Amino acid sequence: MAIEQNIPPENQNTPTSSSSGGGSDGNPNNPNDKSRRRRNKPRRDGKGSNNKSNSPATLSAGKSEKRRAGKDNQVLVTQDINTDINHQDTLDNAADAAAAHAEGGIKSIGDQRIIPFMKIEKPMALLSIFLVIGSIIAIAVNGLNFGLDFTGGVSADVRYEQPAEQVEVVKALADNGFDDAVVQYLGTRQELLIRLPPQSDNIDGLNTSLGQALDLPNNKADISNVNIIGSQVGNEVYLNSVMALGLALLSMLGYVALRFQFKLALGAVISLFHDAIVTIGVFALFGFPFDLTVLAAILALIGYSLNDTIVVYDRIRENFRRVRGISPRQTIDLSLTETLRRTIMTISTVLLVVLAMMLLGGDGLYWFSVALFIGLLAGTYSSTYIASSIPLAMGLSRDDFIVKVKPEFEEEIVTFNDPKMFEQD
């Protein structure tokens, strides 16, 4: 009977990559396999390693795994960035929706006709520059024909026994040597304020000569008060007037900047300066008398022009928040188109009052009305083009009127870029 030899297979003595320190049966406690165990870890001096770590296939597989891991990290970072972008877009859309809801909801213009005001923006800008430069040259060359409020002179309060006409009083004064007299009514047609250029007589002689000059046929005049205004007082009035204009413009700048936006505030102040300088330039060019009534008209004009500009700005802000799918230029055209009817109605009614004062108000209100008439025309034009085109040129957009909502918590993404991660074999 043959004896069978129990010879183990060869592959059991060969360690595999899956063995973790065992022999043929993978048992590390087997005493027969201890002599055949191989090291799976590098030596302590760092110069040696096992066959698995030193094999080219293993090195190539490790590099491939690193590249795949790098690509996976890239994909993850890209996905995170896209998630952040989508999240920010969601916040922006939420801010747009909130701003539109605050103004009454999203607005659809449909087939509404939009007048292209900004199409002639550049020609109007050149016209404005020409008017401002021409006004400054007229003021510098001709100067202003200042009235008695600025140059000094004589003012007298006169009361007649019967109603008197201004033309008759001026003619009586001119016949007695008092030229360039200004006569105004004080409440009734019997009480008048008379202003004269500086006189050489003293106060007593002036009372006597004025009393004789002011007496009309069958209508005696009684002079209650005579004041002599020196040139120094006139210079103080002039300086105070310039300071009042500058303070008004600065106040308007601050108000519009706080109420709306700085780009709009700058456009509003430039348009107000345009209105004031053009009105003063016309007075300097034609030599019209410039007194405190004209200054009051310019200050009133600044208030009126700003009110008209604020109406346009409010509609611009509303349309930027509510209307979608149109450019900033089209938004401004839409706003000007929607406020055009209101602008025409307002300027028409104000001009009727101004013309009534100019034709029926007498000499006391004549130059006041002339200054208002010139300024109203310039103000209507500047509110449409100057006040709207300057913010547009400065890059006005929807972002200037929408408050961005920031998330309560923002995750910080830290990315480690290892240049060896993406190296090729």
Side-chain angles (χ1 to χ4, degrees):
M1 180 176 180
I3 299 174
E4 296 181 357
Q5 294 180 357
N6 189 8
I7 301 173
E10 294 180 0
N11 56 358
Q12 290 183 359
N13 295 329
T14 305
T16 60
S17 60
S18 62
S19 63
S20 59
S24 61
D25 56 354
N27 189 2
N29 297 322
N30 190 354
N32 296 323
D33 296 334
K34 288 183 179 180
S35 60
R36 298 184 178 89
R37 291 174 59 186
R38 296 177 179 272
R39 295 180 59 89
N40 288 336
K41 296 182 181 180
R43 297 177 180 176
R44 290 184 180 181
D45 57 359
K47 297 181 180 179
S49 61
N50 53 25
N51 295 332
K52 175 182 176 182
S53 60
N54 290 333
S55 62
T58 306
L59 292 176
S60 177
K63 292 183 180 180
S64 300
E65 290 178 358
K66 288 184 179 181
R67 285 197 297 271
R68 284 196 298 270
K71 293 180 181 179
D72 292 340
N73 290 334
Q74 266 191 324
V75 172
L76 291 176
V77 172
T78 305
Q79 290 177 353
D80 292 338
I81 294 174
N82 293 333
T83 303
D84 292 340
I85 293 174
N86 295 331
H87 181 60
Q88 186 64 34
D89 292 340
T90 304
L91 294 178
D92 294 342
N93 294 332
D96 292 346
H101 179 72
E103 297 293 340
I106 297 177
K107 179 179 178 181
S108 177
I109 58 177
D111 296 333
Q112 181 179 351
R113 180 185 177 187
I114 300 178
I115 301 176
F117 288 96
M118 294 295 105
K119 189 175 181 179
I120 56 174
E121 173 190 2
K122 292 183 179 180
M124 289 301 178
L126 294 177
L127 176 61
S128 300
I129 294 174
F130 173 77
L131 290 176
V132 170
I133 294 177
S135 299
I136 294 175
I137 293 176
I139 295 172
V141 175
N142 296 341
L144 292 173
N145 183 16
F146 289 112
L148 301 179
D149 299 316
F150 297 101
T151 60
V154 178
S155 65
D157 297 332
V158 181
R159 181 179 178 83
Y160 282 94
E161 295 178 354
Q162 299 177 4
E165 297 292 337
Q166 291 178 328
V167 179
E168 295 180 359
V169 176
V170 172
K171 185 176 182 303
L173 290 171
D175 293 340
N176 289 272
F178 296 98
D179 298 327
D180 300 328
V182 178
V183 179
Q184 294 178 266
Y185 289 119
L186 296 177
T188 64
R189 299 183 65 184
Q190 292 179 255
E191 298 178 357
L192 290 86
L193 173 64
I194 298 174
R195 291 180 295 176
L196 300 170
Q199 305 294 322
S200 58
D201 297 338
N202 54 22
I203 192 73
D204 296 330
L206 191 58
N207 279 332
T208 303
S209 57
L210 272 179
Q212 295 176 356
L214 290 173
D215 287 337
L216 300 177
N218 301 324
N219 195 0
K220 188 177 180 180
D222 180 21
I223 300 176
S224 59
N225 187 22
V226 176
N227 296 319
I228 298 177
I229 303 173
S231 58
Q232 183 177 0
V233 177
N235 291 332
E236 293 179 359
V237 172
Y238 174 76
L239 294 177
N240 292 335
S241 302
V242 175
M243 292 177 60
L245 286 174
L247 182 61
L249 294 177
L250 289 178
S251 301
M252 300 305 177
L253 176 65
Y255 168 74
V256 180
L258 292 177
R259 184 67 177 83
F260 292 93
Q261 215 268 345
F262 180 74
K263 297 175 184 177
L264 297 178
L266 189 60
V269 170
I270 293 177
S271 67
L272 295 178
F273 174 78
H274 168 271
D275 302 340
I277 202 68
V278 167
T279 304
I280 297 174
V282 171
F283 271 75
L285 181 63
F286 295 100
F288 296 154
F290 191 92
D291 53 13
L292 286 181
T293 59
V294 177
L295 178 63
I298 293 176
L299 292 176
L301 173 65
I302 290 176
Y304 171 83
S305 181
L306 180 66
N307 176 70
D308 196 21
T309 303
I310 289 298
V311 172
V312 177
Y313 281 177
D314 187 67
R315 186 58 59 89
I316 289 175
R317 179 178 60 182
E318 175 186 345
N319 288 334
F320 265 120
R321 291 177 174 177
R322 297 182 61 186
V323 180
R324 301 288 188 269
I326 60 177
S327 64
R329 183 179 298 272
Q330 292 173 333
T331 302
I332 291 180
D333 287 336
L334 174 63
S335 304
L336 293 174
T337 302
E338 292 177 344
T339 57
L340 180 61
R341 182 179 302 175
R342 180 260 175 200
T343 301
I344 294 175
M345 294 177 61
T346 304
I347 191 64
S348 300
T349 54
V350 175
L351 282 178
L352 286 177
V353 177
V354 171
L355 290 175
M357 290 191 299
M358 186 185 303
L359 299 177
L360 305 175
D363 294 339
L365 295 175
Y366 181 77
W367 296 115
F368 175 83
S369 305
V370 170
L372 275 182
F373 182 81
I374 298 171
L376 286 174
L377 297 180
T380 304
Y381 153 76
S382 65
S383 298
T384 304
Y385 285 100
I386 298 178
S388 301
S389 62
I390 290 178
L392 182 62
M394 295 176 64
L396 189 69
S397 63
R398 179 181 285 109
D399 296 336
D400 296 321
F401 301 99
I402 296 177
V403 179
K404 298 296 182 182
V405 180
K406 294 184 178 180
E408 185 177 0
F409 299 100
E410 292 185 356
E411 296 182 358
E412 184 178 1
I413 300 174
V414 180
T415 305
F416 297 95
N417 294 324
D418 188 0
K420 296 181 179 180
M421 184 183 300
F422 309 105
E423 65 181 359
Q424 301 295 330
D425 292 340

